[in-house]
Amino acid sequence: MSTEPFTRPGVFTQLRRELYGEEQSSLSNTHTFIILGASGDLAKKKIYPTLWWLFRDGLLPDNTHFVGFARSDFTVEDIKAACLPYMKVTDKEGDAVSAFFHKNSYLSGRYDDGTSFEQLNRHLLSLPGGANANRVFYLALPPTIYNHVSSNIRNHCMSSKGWNRIIFEKPFGRDFQSSQDLSAHLFSLFREDQIYRIDHYLGKEMVQNLMVIRFGNRIFGPIWNRTSVASVVLTFKEPFGTEGRGGYFDDFGIIRDVMQNHLLQMLCLVAMEKPASTSPGDVRDEKVKVLKCIAPVAMSDVVLGQYVGDPAGKEHSKLGYLDDPTVPKDSCTPTFATAVLYVHNERWEGVPFILRCGKALNEPKAEVRVQFTDVPGDIFNGQCQRNELVVRVQPDQAIYLKMMTKRPGVNFSPEETELDLTYKSRYKDVKLPDAYERLILDVFCGNQMHFVRSDELREAWRIFTPLLHQIEREKRRPIPYTYGSRGPSEADDLTKRVGFRYEGTYKWVKPHAT
């Protein structure tokens, strides 16, 4: 990321050329970024701070203005006060912060009221660029009002001469049919190249690195298949519970919240064939081909859990999911899930892809773990463990390969160790951008590679909708697990049954600082 001051001109155009090999093609160099839901949590914790970081580092188009819109009777000063705690501003950046908020404005209005959007459009026309300016609309809003807002944008706020791009936050529907209905509604208003369905996990450094690891290294190509891979485990663990947000979470559950989107997207990057190029269309075509090869998840390949309090734990961990006052006392919503998926094609037939995710677990972790098959012809009497390639997305981003070496000394015994690329050690002076920084910059550049296309979304819901409907129809009671544990032991039994081998003896050692 650039460390040049925010006043440096032309950085965006130069960056676009470096990243995508092309010049800025828009008819206007003036841009307006509209945050709908500007008074909400997502806006103050993520969107405004991200725009500030991009502005500070000179990565936005030179003439960009920001407009907030929400129901609250706010001012720009109110927005500034709400966002500053999340903006990571240093003592030396006071002038830059003032310059950023000088480019901000705010209007209040109703999301279902065309008159409010007419007022918004009049304000947009009064800004530099007017009708010629390009417009980005970010819907930092609940999905329940997407239809009203998107219709009002289309009817009242589209730029007549510049381009228009609309960013939608997940969840994109609750199941196959509601997702299809939302897509049909959006397609009645916008073209696919105007729609940016954002899954922030696709902006994370190590998720984007999966393609380079796979297709930029000769050593992995010959072994990246069912002959050499025993299983693939995709994990997302959080060490905290819902903590007052259970009412929101209870409407979705862990499968909709994490598995159907974040983990399934990572699965696609692990399993897909090499695309013809790195163009967004070619990459997303291959992801869709993977999803089409996955059958709907069977209940026999799923373990569901719901956390309960730990009486011996710290104060917050003594409370279980059902102790959250915003959660119905008879809720069957899972806070943990392990599911096994199979990709039915020539490369992956028979290899289990194990998706694990949950709240109130023993550690924060998101990773991809490729476990390879046993070495044929064992001459070390069962002392060797399986090799594993691990791509850790968070925390402490790293890539490491678990392998066997001779234990140092006079003996001749194998020992499990690793080849380790921990980013904090190897790239100490590199500032890694936040996922939202990458993705919002991609929207300005018109690059949709790391956004979810409509056919990807359709196939993802096809895979999980029958399972979700069965869980809700049968009111299936999740297995209790203790706050701070690894989750239900039944999940470990399932992964062992399908072929993943967990010894539990290996401990990763952080590399020495150099």
Side-chain angles (χ1 to χ4, degrees):
M1 296 293 286
S2 170
T3 57
E4 296 291 333
F6 71 97
T7 52
R8 175 182 165 193
V11 175
F12 171 76
T13 303
Q14 176 186 344
L15 184 70
R16 180 186 170 96
R17 189 185 307 121
E18 291 174 355
L19 288 177
Y20 308 112
E22 56 188 45
E23 298 287 349
Q24 169 69 316
S25 59
S26 83
L27 299 176
S28 172
N29 289 322
T30 305
H31 298 72
T32 308
F33 193 100
I34 303 100
I35 305 102
L36 297 121
S39 61
D41 264 10
L42 178 63
K44 75 177 181 181
K45 293 179 180 178
K46 282 294 183 183
I47 310 309
Y48 276 105
T50 298
L51 293 170
W52 150 245
W53 296 326
L54 291 170
F55 174 84
R56 176 198 63 193
D57 293 339
L59 296 178
L60 291 178
D62 298 331
N63 197 6
T64 301
H65 296 263
F66 313 96
V67 178
F69 180 91
R71 290 174 298 194
S72 304
D73 188 18
F74 270 25
T75 65
V76 171
E77 285 301 312
D78 294 327
I79 294 290
K80 181 178 179 180
C83 299
L84 272 176
Y86 306 97
M87 288 171 55
K88 304 176 185 176
V89 177
T90 67
D91 294 338
K92 298 179 180 179
E93 293 172 339
D95 290 344
V97 170
S98 296
F100 172 70
F101 281 105
H102 182 70
K103 288 178 172 283
N104 272 262
S105 53
Y106 178 86
L107 285 84
S108 62
R110 286 169 40 205
Y111 299 120
D112 60 351
D113 177 33
T115 304
S116 295
F117 281 80
E118 289 174 358
Q119 179 187 5
L120 172 61
N121 188 56
R122 286 194 294 271
H123 176 70
L124 297 176
L125 291 172
S126 73
L127 296 174
N132 292 314
N134 304 310
R135 296 179 183 178
V136 179
F137 298 89
Y138 198 115
L139 275 66
L141 295 165
T144 50
I145 55 178
Y146 280 176
N147 283 10
H148 284 307
V149 174
S150 56
S151 294
N152 279 321
I153 290 173
R154 182 66 183 85
N155 293 332
H156 303 292
C157 290
M158 299 285 276
S159 175
S160 58
K161 296 182 180 178
W163 50 248
N164 298 272
R165 292 168 186 162
I166 297 89
I167 307 173
F168 295 91
E169 277 275 349
K170 75 172 185 70
F172 314 115
R174 285 183 50 82
D175 56 15
F176 182 87
Q177 190 57 53
S178 59
S179 174
Q180 287 292 92
D181 292 344
L182 176 59
S183 291
H185 172 75
L186 295 179
F187 284 143
S188 72
L189 305 172
F190 311 111
R191 302 187 309 271
E192 178 74 69
D193 65 355
Q194 295 176 309
I195 300 171
Y196 288 73
R197 300 175 188 84
I198 192 168
D199 180 340
H200 75 275
Y201 248 68
L202 291 177
K204 289 186 175 291
E205 177 75 24
M206 301 312 293
V207 174
Q208 295 193 354
N209 208 348
L210 283 168
M211 277 188 61
V212 180
I213 293 169
R214 283 205 54 198
F215 304 122
N217 294 290
R218 180 71 178 93
I219 57 175
F220 295 125
I223 60 173
W224 209 265
N225 53 52
R226 61 191 175 90
T227 304
S228 299
V229 175
S231 61
V232 179
V233 183
L234 302 107
T235 301
F236 180 98
K237 299 167 72 173
E238 291 180 328
F240 49 84
T242 54
E243 297 174 2
R245 293 185 67 251
Y248 168 81
F249 180 85
D250 202 69
D251 285 338
F252 298 99
I254 197 69
I255 295 175
R256 289 185 176 96
D257 193 42
V258 175
M259 186 177 285
Q260 182 269 345
N261 38 73
H262 299 337
L263 293 185
L264 198 59
Q265 284 289 331
M266 288 198 289
L267 182 154
C268 289
L269 293 170
V270 172
M272 72 183 191
E273 298 298 320
K274 181 185 285 188
S277 72
T278 57
S279 73
D282 288 341
V283 172
R284 298 200 291 181
D285 285 347
E286 294 302 332
K287 290 165 68 179
V288 171
K289 289 178 185 177
V290 171
L291 294 173
K292 287 184 174 181
C293 293
I294 301 174
V297 188
M299 185 63 80
S300 57
D301 286 328
V302 175
V303 170
L304 305 174
Q306 189 183 84
Y307 69 88
V308 297
D310 178 7
K314 296 180 181 179
E315 185 172 350
H316 66 280
S317 62
K318 291 181 179 180
L319 299 177
Y321 179 68
L322 297 181
D323 297 319
D324 186 327
T326 65
V327 173
K329 294 306 176 187
D330 60 347
S331 172
C332 294
T333 299
T335 61
F336 172 97
T338 293
V340 182
L341 280 62
Y342 293 92
V343 180
H344 298 291
N345 63 16
E346 186 176 3
R347 180 183 294 273
W348 295 113
E349 187 67 55
V351 177
F353 284 77
I354 303 164
L355 281 57
R356 293 175 59 105
C357 53
K359 291 183 171 292
L361 296 174
N362 59 325
E363 60 182 337
K365 183 165 70 174
E367 69 177 22
V368 176
R369 182 176 298 265
V370 180
Q371 186 173 91
F372 295 97
T373 53
D374 295 317
V375 175
D378 177 23
I379 62 173
F380 295 104
N381 300 317
Q383 297 180 72
C384 292
Q385 307 300 329
R386 287 178 170 177
N387 299 140
E388 292 183 346
L389 175 67
V390 181
V391 179
R392 191 188 307 117
V393 178
Q394 64 184 37
D396 298 324
Q397 298 169 98
I399 304 164
Y400 62 93
L401 180 65
K402 289 171 60 175
M403 58 181 292
M404 303 305 301
T405 60
K406 175 186 171 298
R407 183 177 298 130
V410 298
N411 55 31
F412 195 68
S413 301
E415 180 179 68
E416 193 173 18
T417 185
E418 73 284 318
L419 295 175
D420 195 321
L421 172 58
T422 296
Y423 270 46
K424 279 186 178 178
S425 300
R426 179 64 178 84
Y427 301 112
K428 289 182 291 188
D429 300 323
V430 176
K431 175 187 177 293
L432 295 177
D434 177 82
Y436 276 94
E437 285 184 83
R438 295 177 188 273
L439 296 176
I440 288 179
L441 183 58
D442 275 347
V443 175
F444 276 100
C445 292
N447 186 304
Q448 291 185 300
M449 180 191 298
H450 306 298
F451 294 84
V452 182
R453 202 166 65 187
S454 58
D455 49 355
E456 287 182 72
L457 188 61
R458 181 177 64 248
E459 293 300 325
W461 279 120
R462 176 189 59 79
I463 292 166
F464 281 100
T465 292
L467 172 70
L468 290 165
H469 285 180
Q470 183 178 354
I471 292 170
E472 291 161 359
R473 183 175 62 252
E474 298 176 358
K475 298 189 183 302
R476 188 172 290 259
R477 178 65 59 184
I479 300 167
Y481 65 94
T482 304
Y483 197 124
S485 68
R486 295 185 68 249
S489 60
E490 288 85 349
D492 291 328
D493 295 339
L494 171 62
T495 59
K496 183 178 180 180
R497 172 169 65 81
V498 299
F500 176 70
R501 187 177 299 170
Y502 176 70
E503 304 294 340
T505 57
Y506 171 82
K507 298 295 181 185
W508 176 74
V509 180
K510 290 186 177 181
H512 299 294
T514 55

